Amino acid sequence: MSGKPVLRRCVTCRELLDRQGLWRVIRLADGGLALDGGMGRSAYLCPSQACLEEARRRRKLQKALRCQVADSIYAALEQRLLSAPAAGAEAR
């Protein structure tokens, strides 16, 4: 295997970043949503307060996943942001 990072684009800021550093929101085949695990249509989001607020305000996840995103998903992402180390979360 090569050591090249797998790059994905944040749906909010459109910046290409290593997939490991982004949050993944997945629309599952059964119609539900999941974070970080499962197979289905995915959208990636930077772990920053600015990107999270912009995604919620401009409905970026809904557009990327082509489905409604419940407030519980945003709440879970915000909880991750609050529990993450402050230095890594706002690196941009």
Side-chain angles (χ1 to χ4, degrees), residues 66-89:
R66 300 179 188 162
C67 71
Q68 290 297 318
V69 176
D71 287 335
S72 61
I73 296 294
Y74 288 112
L77 291 173
E78 189 141 358
Q79 185 61 38
R80 281 187 186 184
L81 185 63
L82 295 175
S83 66

Side-chain angles (χ1 to χ4, degrees), residues 22-57:
L22 297 172
W23 290 330
R24 182 177 175 221
V25 182
I26 306 111
R27 184 187 75 192
L28 302 171
D30 65 4
L33 293 173
L35 296 175
D36 297 328
M39 293 184 61
R41 185 173 188 85
S42 298
Y44 292 86
L45 190 64
C46 291
S48 71
Q49 186 68 36
C51 281
L52 182 59
E53 287 175 6
E54 185 78 5
R56 178 181 277 178
R57 189 169 60 84

Side-chain angles (χ1 to χ4, degrees), residues 5-10 13 15-24 36 43-48 51 77 80-81 84 88-92:
V6 178
L7 299 178
R8 295 292 182 258
R9 191 173 300 274
C10 173
C13 67
E15 190 172 332
L16 269 176
L17 299 167
D18 186 6
R19 177 178 64 181
Q20 305 256 322
L22 297 172
W23 290 330
R24 182 177 175 221
D36 297 328
Y44 292 86
L45 190 64
C46 291
S48 71
C51 281
L77 291 173
R80 281 187 186 184
L81 185 63
E90 294 291 333
R92 298 187 313 119

